[in-house]
């Protein structure tokens, strides 16, 4: 039997930001040849802890051990010197450089760079672990998964034996996720120690050897993956029993609420971002939108909202018991004045959705809640609505006047989703509504969207997690390169079918 070798050990790691204790005496251990999943709710301290391993923060108390010896990691350079590399969710690559040029960028090789020797080394790493990239290919010609591969090879090239991946499957198709997992398993077999930060429990169960759970900055415990289940892990994260079922009741009589015909949109350089997109969103259903990142999801929702210029096609809105109205050419304010009850949770939370310098109360004032009854509706004043959202969605903030830009991403999203639902819309569009949210809050959002559906609202849900899309939605529209490659029944479709449509390999499906 092989002797277990400890790659990383954390003892009493504490990190404070003012009066906030982000990590409180964390003890954690990871061995070579293991994959550890790090779980926790928003604000539990996962990213802070990993940022201390990767040299972005320095602990106030405690000690980090690498291969059994105490180390001081004060910068990313120190982290690399100790064989630690972190692959962030947002890639840091130069588009006009090749894969190899990005991989060696910033290295002090001494003398003139031998690009051919570097390419040879890159090919050797790719062959060893099963990566599929061309070292001479430009970044701007690569898919999202290829860019991620470059980031992983970059840290391996620098000699990393301990890898930290932050939400590595967030923008990957099921097929790309499977390939990534195969690579990670090959790296584990080679003795690498791997940490994955993720909210997707099915991936935790499929890939990891053990799971460490943090809650409110404290270490709760580590369990063997083979000896646990998603429900038990969620209960550990939250501290009490949580229901993990997404209800999908059927609305009795769905009616056409929003119809899009042959919608075409061009960007500022004349490139088609949407090309002949057609579909109908029904009141009383959740229509999911799936696609690889950059397939036109953002442009589609913004075009419907009046925020993105339309080159051709039709967008018509049919209110209850009234004639249809054309939305093409109308600004968001004109759409609102026309009596269109539309709510939009954009991808860019602070850039488009909220004013960062204002608190929750001020951001409530940006919306009118005088008509209808929303899930959080309270007509007394905007502060009452802010207090209701603060309580119902458990927004972590000192008070309702605290600037939202100083909140975590997950808490900003709670404020935005709560406010939009409070406006009592008949069409509710959400772009990545649960991105960055822990599983407990995510299920709260799913239930809120289902409640809106059962009130006859047409809900359009752009999401990354295909498992959620298949559980939550009634139909799923798949975009590929700005075109509709299929519309499927979410109750009967499979992840593999949608994954093929996302890469246009699946052909067309009936709408």
């Amino acid at each position: 039997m092989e002797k277990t070798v400890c790659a990383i050990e954390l003892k009493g790691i504490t990190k404070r930001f003012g009066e906030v204790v982000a990590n409180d005496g964390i003890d954690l251990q990871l061995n070579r040849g293991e994959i550890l999943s790090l779980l926790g709710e928003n604000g539990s301290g996962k990213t802070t802890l990993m940022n201390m391993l990767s040299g972005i923060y320095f602990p106030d108390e405690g000690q980090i051990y690498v291969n059994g010896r105490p180390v001081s990691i004060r910068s990313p350079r120190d982290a690399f010197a100790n064989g630690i590399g972190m692959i962030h969710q947002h890639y840091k690559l130069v588009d006009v450089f090749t894969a190899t040029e990005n991989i060696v960028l910033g290295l002090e090789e001494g003398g003139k760079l031998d690009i051919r020797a570097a390419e040879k080394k890159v090919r050797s790493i790719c062959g060893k672990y099963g990566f599929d990239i061309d070292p001479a290919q430009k970044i701007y010609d690569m898919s999202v998964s290829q860019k991620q591969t470059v980031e992983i090879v970059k840290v391996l090239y620098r000699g990393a034996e301990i890898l930290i991946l932050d939400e590595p499957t967030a923008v990957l198709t099921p097929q790309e996720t499977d390939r990534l997992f195969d690579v990670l398993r090959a790296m584990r077999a080679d003795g690498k120690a791997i940490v994955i930060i993720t909210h997707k429990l099915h991936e935790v169960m499929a890939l990891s050897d053990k799971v460490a759970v943090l809650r409110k900055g404290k270490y709760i415990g580590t369990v063997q993956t083979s000896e646990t289940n998603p429900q038990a892990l969620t209960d550990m994260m939250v501290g009490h029993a949580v229901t993990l079922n997404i209800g999908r009741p059927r609305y009795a009589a769905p009616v056409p609420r929003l119809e899009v015909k042959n919608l075409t949109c061009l960007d500022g350089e004349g490139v088609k971002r949407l090309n002949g997109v057609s579909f109908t969103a029904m009141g009383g259903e959740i229509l999911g939108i799936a696609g690889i990142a950059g397939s036109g999801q953002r442009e589609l929702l913004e075009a419907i909202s009046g925020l993105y210029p339309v080159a051709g096609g039709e967008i018509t809105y049919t209110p209850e018991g009234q004639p249809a109205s054309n939305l093409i050419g109308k600004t968001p304010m004109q759409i609102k004045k026309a009596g269109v009850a539309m709510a939009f949770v954009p991808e860019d939370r602070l850039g488009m959705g909220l004013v960062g310098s204002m608190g929750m109360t001020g951001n409530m004032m940006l919306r009118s809640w005088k008509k209808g009854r929303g899930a959080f509706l309270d007509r007394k004043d905007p502060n009452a609505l802010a207090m209701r959202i603060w309580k119902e969605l458990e927004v972590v903030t000192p008070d309702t006047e605290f600037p939202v830009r100083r909140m975590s991403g997950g808490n900003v999203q709670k404020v935005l989703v709560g406010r939009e639902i409070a406006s009592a819309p008949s069409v509710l569009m959400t772009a990545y509504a649960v991105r960055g949210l822990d599983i407990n809050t995510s299920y709260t959002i799913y239930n809120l969207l289902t409640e809106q559906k059962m009130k006859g609202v047409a809900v359009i849900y752009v999401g990354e997690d295909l498992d959620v899309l298949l559980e939550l939605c009634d139909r799923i529209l798949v975009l590929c390169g700005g075109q509709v490659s299929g519309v499927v029944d979410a109750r009967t479709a499979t992840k593999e079918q949608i994954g093929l449509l996302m890469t246009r390999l699946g052909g067309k499906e009936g709408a």
Side-chain angles (χ1 to χ4, degrees):
M1 185 175 178
E2 289 187 16
K3 182 181 177 182
T4 301
V5 179
C6 181
I8 287 279
E9 186 173 10
L10 309 179
K11 288 186 177 181
I13 296 295
T14 298
K15 183 64 181 177
R16 302 180 185 88
F17 296 97
E19 296 181 358
V20 177
V21 182
N23 291 135
D24 188 2
I26 303 291
D27 295 325
L28 192 62
Q29 184 174 312
L30 174 63
N31 298 323
R32 291 197 174 279
E34 281 186 341
I35 298 177
L36 170 74
S37 289
L38 189 60
L39 291 181
E41 292 188 278
N42 295 119
S44 62
K46 305 184 301 296
T47 302
T48 300
L49 189 63
M50 292 301 102
N51 280 341
M52 283 187 279
L53 274 180
S54 60
I56 296 173
Y57 297 144
F58 188 76
D60 297 320
E61 297 173 19
Q63 181 63 59
I64 299 172
Y65 296 84
V66 176
N67 299 323
R69 58 184 177 81
V71 299
S72 177
I73 302 175
R74 295 183 174 273
S75 69
R77 186 182 293 273
D78 289 343
F80 275 123
N82 285 285
I84 302 171
M86 185 165 179
I87 295 91
H88 297 271
Q89 188 174 350
H90 302 289
Y91 311 138
K92 298 171 174 62
L93 300 170
V94 180
D95 277 355
V96 296
F97 284 8
T98 66
T100 300
E101 288 168 342
N102 272 278
I103 288 166
V104 301
L105 189 63
L107 284 177
E108 296 177 0
E109 299 273 351
K112 187 178 179 181
L113 172 65
D114 187 342
I115 195 68
R116 289 190 178 181
E119 283 189 3
K120 184 177 179 180
K121 184 176 177 181
V122 169
R123 292 184 193 279
S124 175
I125 293 172
C126 291
K128 184 175 183 179
Y129 298 112
F131 292 113
D132 182 22
I133 59 166
D134 176 1
Q137 186 177 2
K138 299 282 189 182
I139 298 299
Y140 59 70
D141 283 331
M142 291 186 173
S143 67
V144 173
S145 66
Q146 288 174 315
K147 292 176 183 177
Q148 182 185 66
T149 298
V150 173
E151 289 282 19
I152 296 173
V153 175
K154 187 196 296 185
V155 300
L156 292 174
Y157 191 97
R158 286 160 168 74
E161 294 292 327
I162 301 153
L163 288 88
I164 304 165
L165 294 92
D166 187 7
E167 299 284 354
T169 65
V171 292
L172 302 185
T173 67
Q175 290 82 356
E176 289 169 338
T177 297
D178 289 342
R179 285 197 294 272
L180 173 64
F181 284 5
D182 287 341
V183 167
L184 294 179
R185 291 184 184 108
M187 292 166 62
R188 174 179 62 188
D190 191 45
K192 302 286 192 243
I194 301 169
V195 180
I196 291 182
I197 302 173
T198 180
H199 290 301
K200 300 179 181 179
L201 291 183
H202 62 280
E203 294 181 357
V204 170
M205 300 303 297
L207 181 66
S208 63
D209 298 294
K210 58 186 185 182
V211 186
V213 178
L214 302 183
R215 187 197 311 149
K216 296 180 180 178
K218 294 182 180 293
Y219 171 69
I220 302 303
T222 299
V223 295
Q224 296 296 316
T225 309
S226 60
E227 298 173 1
T228 189
N229 57 67
Q231 183 67 60
L233 291 173
T234 303
D235 294 348
M236 281 182 71
M237 282 191 289
V238 179
H240 56 80
V242 175
T243 301
L244 289 183
N245 295 320
I246 300 178
R248 184 166 48 188
R250 288 185 184 272
Y251 186 72
V255 294
R257 189 66 67 215
L258 188 75
E259 188 171 6
V260 176
K261 289 184 179 179
N262 298 317
L263 183 65
T264 299
C265 295
L266 309 179
D267 64 15
E269 298 177 353
V271 177
K272 284 187 179 180
R273 294 301 178 186
L274 294 172
N275 185 9
V277 171
S278 298
F279 66 91
T280 300
M282 308 290 287
E285 79 162 10
I286 298 179
L287 175 67
I289 309 288
I292 295 170
S295 294
Q297 300 96 315
R298 177 179 64 82
E299 290 84 357
L300 175 60
L301 298 195
E302 290 184 10
I304 295 171
S305 305
L307 296 168
Y308 200 91
V310 174
E314 301 176 18
I315 303 174
T316 53
Y317 167 78
T318 307
E320 190 74 39
Q322 297 180 38
S325 58
N326 178 31
L327 303 187
I328 295 291
K330 288 186 170 67
T331 65
M333 185 58 69
Q334 289 170 335
I335 290 174
K336 182 179 178 181
K337 287 182 177 178
V340 178
M342 185 183 296
F344 178 31
V345 179
E347 181 178 358
D348 185 358
R349 300 164 186 173
L350 288 177
M352 292 178 62
L354 301 169
V355 177
S357 59
M358 293 167 60
M360 289 179 63
T361 300
N363 275 286
M364 296 306 115
M365 293 179 183
L366 300 178
R367 257 296 188 182
S368 170
W369 55 90
K370 294 180 181 179
K371 297 180 180 180
R373 290 191 172 273
F376 299 105
L377 193 60
D378 189 325
R379 301 181 183 182
K380 292 181 180 179
D381 54 56
N383 188 56
L385 178 58
M387 293 291 289
R388 185 87 182 271
I389 293 173
W390 185 15
K391 179 180 177 181
E392 293 287 338
L393 290 183
E394 298 178 349
V395 178
V396 179
T397 179
D399 54 61
T400 56
E401 301 300 328
F402 188 74
V404 296
R405 62 177 166 76
R406 295 178 61 186
M407 298 180 189
S408 70
N411 287 299
V412 170
Q413 187 73 330
K414 293 178 189 179
V415 174
L416 181 53
V417 171
R419 187 194 69 187
E420 292 305 301
I421 289 177
S423 69
S426 58
V427 176
L428 173 61
M429 300 187 296
T430 68
Y432 311 106
V434 299
R435 178 184 280 171
L437 296 185
D438 58 73
I439 192 163
N440 187 34
T441 308
S442 295
Y443 275 80
T444 300
I445 299 296
Y446 303 148
N447 291 332
L448 287 171
L449 296 180
T450 299
E451 285 177 16
Q452 294 300 300
K453 177 185 86 170
M454 295 309 290
K455 292 178 180 178
V457 176
V459 180
I460 300 176
Y461 177 88
V462 175
E464 298 164 328
D465 191 330
L466 294 189
D467 291 278
V468 170
L469 284 165
L470 288 168
E471 277 191 73
L472 174 69
C473 302
D474 298 281
R475 291 183 299 141
I476 299 174
L477 179 146
V478 185
L479 289 175
C480 180
Q483 295 180 295
V484 177
S485 58
V487 181
V488 299
D489 184 338
R491 288 177 168 82
T492 58
T494 65
K495 277 204 304 182
E496 291 71 25
Q497 179 186 5
I498 295 173
L500 291 172
L501 288 169
M502 287 167 70
T503 53
R504 206 183 288 279
L505 298 175
K508 294 271 185 179
E509 298 286 333

